[in-house]
Amino acid sequence: MRLLLDTHAFIWAMGKVSRLPSGVATAIRDPENELWLSAVSLYEIEYKRGRDTVLGRLPPDLIGAATDMPAQWLVVTPEHAVTAARLNRVHKDPWDRLIVGQAMVEGLVIVSVDPAMKAFGVQTLW
């Protein structure tokens, strides 16, 4: 499987693996699966870090933390941006919309507890 971690799944995979369902944790650790992280998650975490104690305790080097997983970074392309902007309005969070746009364009399964992700019609794992 090709997995794109939603921001909260990325955070939990870095240090609170116990918050992940066992099947999700197994899929993330499975070397047969491709693990992807969105640059959007970096922006979301850093944007919110000063106002959130959980985010404030994350490692300052999130890029390095992803390498330790190991995961690959997914940059935002023009195709991702256009796809995200054209999504229906069932979910208004701009970070989630971009992650969904990326998953749609790249054919990735989103790892997310957020039920709103399914409303976009993307495949999810949780």
Side-chain angles (χ1 to χ4, degrees):
M1 265 188 299
R2 299 178 68 226
L3 305 173
L4 175 59
L5 300 186
D6 194 0
T7 304
H8 65 273
F10 171 38
I11 291 166
W12 295 345
M14 276 190 292
K16 296 198 179 270
V17 179
S18 62
R19 294 196 66 181
L20 297 170
S22 63
V24 171
T26 299
I28 289 172
R29 286 190 218 109
D30 186 341
E32 296 294 316
N33 293 332
E34 287 181 28
L35 194 57
W36 291 89
L37 298 169
S38 175
V40 171
S41 292
L42 288 177
Y43 175 56
E44 180 178 11
I45 291 167
E46 293 304 334
Y47 184 84
K48 296 177 177 178
R49 188 187 286 264
R51 298 182 304 274
D52 185 303
T53 57
V54 171
L55 298 180
R57 290 190 297 266
L58 292 176
D61 179 16
L62 295 174
I63 297 168
T67 304
D68 293 341
M69 284 185 169
Q72 301 173 71
W73 285 106
L74 185 58
V75 299
V76 179
T77 67
E79 293 81 8
H80 298 155
V82 168
T83 300
R86 291 180 178 168
L87 290 170
N88 64 41
R89 303 290 182 213
V90 296
H91 193 41
K92 295 180 180 162
D93 182 304
W95 292 293
D96 286 350
R97 294 175 63 84
L98 276 164
I99 289 171
V100 168
Q102 288 180 306
M104 289 177 155
V105 170
E106 303 299 331
L108 302 171
V109 175
I110 300 176
V111 178
S112 180
V113 69
D114 187 347
M117 293 295 202
K118 289 184 183 184
F120 289 115
V122 294
Q123 186 177 355
T124 60
L125 173 69
W126 198 267

